C-alpha cells in the first residue's frame, strides 16, 4: 500500500515536471520565428509607473533593418565572446565574483556584472529585475533553452529589439527615432556606441544628452568595435573561427 502511494506520487511529480517543461519551453521555441510583442521588463515598468501618461515605445524591426554598427556596439560593450559561448561566459563570471568580493566592504562598492547577451535576453523577456539564487537559476534555465533553440543571429536580433535605452524606450528602432529622428538602419558608429554606453542604466544615463562619463564610455566602445574588426565581426555569428584576444575582451559594461 505504502509502495503504491509512493509510486503514484513519483508519477505525479514527473508529470508535473514534464508539464512545467512544456509550458516554459513552448514560448521559447515559438519565439525563434514569432517576434515577441512585449517583454516581462516592459510589463513590470508599465505596471510600476505612477505616471498616468507613461508610454512604452517599442518598435520591432528585423536584424536586416538595423545598422551593423548597433549590433557590433552591443557585442563590444556587453559580450565580446557572444559568437563563441553557449550562453555563459564563465571566465567573466569568475572575474566578477572576485571583483565583487573585493568591493563588498567598501562604502560605495563598484559592482561588476557578467551577464551575456543570451542571459540578458532571457531575463528581459521572461523574468523580473533583481538578483537572488531563484531568479538566477530560472535565468540560467531560459538561457539554455534559448541557446539550444535559437541561432545566434536571432538572439542578437531579439536583444537589439527588447533592450532598454531610455525611460519607456525599448529597442534600437524606438531609440533611433526618439533620439535622432532616423530609423535604426541609419545609425552611425557614434550613435550606436552611445546607445551601448547607456545600457547599464538607461534611466539614469541619457543617449540624447550624454554626460562626460557616457562620452568616455562611447569612445571606449568605439575603440573596442575597431579592435573587433567592425561590422566584419558579425560574420563570426555564422562561422565562428577564433575569439578576440584577451586585451579586447575587457570591455564589458559595468552593471
Amino acid at each position: 500500500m505504502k509502495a503504491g502511494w509512493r509510486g503514484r506520487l513519483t508519477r505525479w511529480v514527473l508529470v508535473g515536471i514534464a508539464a512545467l517543461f512544456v509550458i516554459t519551453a513552448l514560448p521559447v521555441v515559438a519565439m525563434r520565428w514569432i517576434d515577441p510583442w512585449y517583454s516581462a521588463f516592459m510589463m513590470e515598468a508599465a505596471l510600476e509607473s505612477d505616471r498616468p501618461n507613461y508610454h512604452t515605445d517599442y518598435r520591432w524591426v528585423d536584424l536586416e533593418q538595423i545598422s551593423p554598427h548597433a549590433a557590433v556596439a552591443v557585442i563590444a560593450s556587453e559580450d565580446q565572446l557572444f559568437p563563441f559561448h553557449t550562453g555563459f561566459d564563465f571566465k567573466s563570471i569568475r572575474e566578477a565574483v572576485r571583483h565583487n568580493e573585493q568591493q563588498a566592504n567598501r562604502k560605495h562598492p563598484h559592482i561588476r556584472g557578467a551577464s551575456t547577451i543570451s542571459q540578458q535576453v532571457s531575463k528581459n523577456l521572461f523574468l523580473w529585475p533583481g538578483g537572488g539564487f531563484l531568479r538566477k537559476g530560472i535565468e540560467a534555465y531560459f538561457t539554455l533553452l534559448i541557446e539550444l533553440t535559437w541561432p545566434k543571429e536571432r538572439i542578437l536580433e531579439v536583444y537589439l529589439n527588447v533592450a532598454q535605452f531610455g525611460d519607456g524606450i525599448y529597442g534600437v528602432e524606438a531609440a533611433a527615432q526618439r533620439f535622432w529622428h532616423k530609423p535604426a538602419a541609419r545609425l552611425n558608429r557614434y550613435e550606436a556606441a552611445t546607445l551601448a554606453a547607456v545600457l547599464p542604466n538607461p534611466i539614469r544615463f541619457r543617449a540624447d544628452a550624454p554626460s562626460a562619463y557616457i562620452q568616455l564610455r562611447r569612445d571606449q566602445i568605439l575603440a573596442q568595435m575597431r579592435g573587433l574588426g567592425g561590422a566584419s565581426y558579425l560574420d563570426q555569428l555564422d562561422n565562428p573561427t577564433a575569439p578576440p584576444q584577451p586585451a579586447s575582451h575587457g570591455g564589458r559594461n559595468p552593471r
Side-chain angles (χ1 to χ4, degrees):
M1 189 75 176
K2 189 176 293 186
W5 178 83
R6 288 177 177 171
R8 287 194 298 272
L9 178 61
T10 300
R11 283 195 298 272
W12 279 112
V13 169
L14 292 175
V15 168
I17 293 173
L20 184 62
F21 172 76
V22 171
I23 291 169
T24 53
L26 279 179
V28 175
V29 175
M31 284 185 196
R32 174 172 179 169
W33 299 279
I34 300 172
D35 301 333
W37 61 273
Y38 221 54
S39 75
F41 271 36
M42 294 179 205
M43 185 175 297
E44 178 167 18
L47 291 173
E48 289 190 348
S49 176
D50 55 3
R51 304 197 313 269
N53 61 341
Y54 179 86
H55 170 67
T56 299
D57 192 349
Y58 170 53
R59 317 180 198 188
W60 178 275
V61 287
D62 294 336
L63 189 60
E64 294 76 16
Q65 297 171 285
I66 298 173
S67 167
H69 297 308
V72 176
V74 298
I75 292 175
S77 108
E78 298 294 300
D79 186 4
Q80 292 183 14
L81 294 181
F82 174 65
F84 306 97
H85 63 61
T86 55
F88 307 94
D89 183 349
F90 293 105
K91 179 181 177 183
S92 289
I93 291 172
R94 290 193 297 269
E95 291 175 350
V97 169
R98 286 195 293 267
H99 172 85
N100 294 339
E101 286 176 348
Q102 293 170 359
Q103 295 283 319
N105 295 325
R106 295 193 176 185
K107 185 176 181 180
H108 300 289
H110 176 267
I111 303 301
R112 179 187 297 175
S115 291
T116 62
I117 286 176
S118 305
Q119 288 175 275
Q120 292 182 53
V121 168
S122 167
K123 65 183 179 183
N124 284 356
L125 279 180
F126 302 111
L127 301 173
W128 61 93
F133 290 111
L134 175 62
R135 200 200 67 88
K136 283 294 184 183
I138 299 173
E139 176 188 303
Y141 168 73
F142 277 110
T143 299
L144 287 173
L145 284 179
I146 287 170
E147 281 279 345
L148 287 171
T149 57
W150 297 6
K152 287 290 186 178
E153 292 90 341
R154 179 59 172 173
I155 299 173
L156 183 61
E157 179 180 56
V158 172
Y159 179 73
L160 287 166
N161 276 283
V162 302
Q164 186 175 9
F165 294 101
D167 187 15
I169 302 172
Y170 295 87
V172 291
E173 178 68 16
Q177 295 286 358
R178 289 281 291 273
F179 300 145
W180 296 290
H181 310 290
K182 63 168 69 174
R186 292 173 49 204
L187 287 170
N188 60 39
R189 291 185 301 123
Y190 294 93
E191 293 159 347
T194 303
L195 288 178
V198 306
L199 281 170
N201 194 335
I203 302 299
R204 176 184 172 191
F205 302 134
R206 293 185 56 180
D208 57 338
S211 63
Y213 170 75
I214 291 301
Q215 293 178 51
L216 174 63
R217 280 295 302 146
R218 176 200 63 199
D219 293 343
Q220 290 172 340
I221 292 167
L222 285 168
Q224 291 155 9
M225 292 165 66
R226 289 191 295 271
L228 292 176
S232 64
Y233 192 66
L234 299 177
D235 295 338
Q236 300 285 349
L237 300 178
D238 286 321
N239 185 29
T241 54
Q245 295 300 311
S248 68
H249 179 49
R252 186 183 299 274
N253 254 330
R255 288 186 179 274

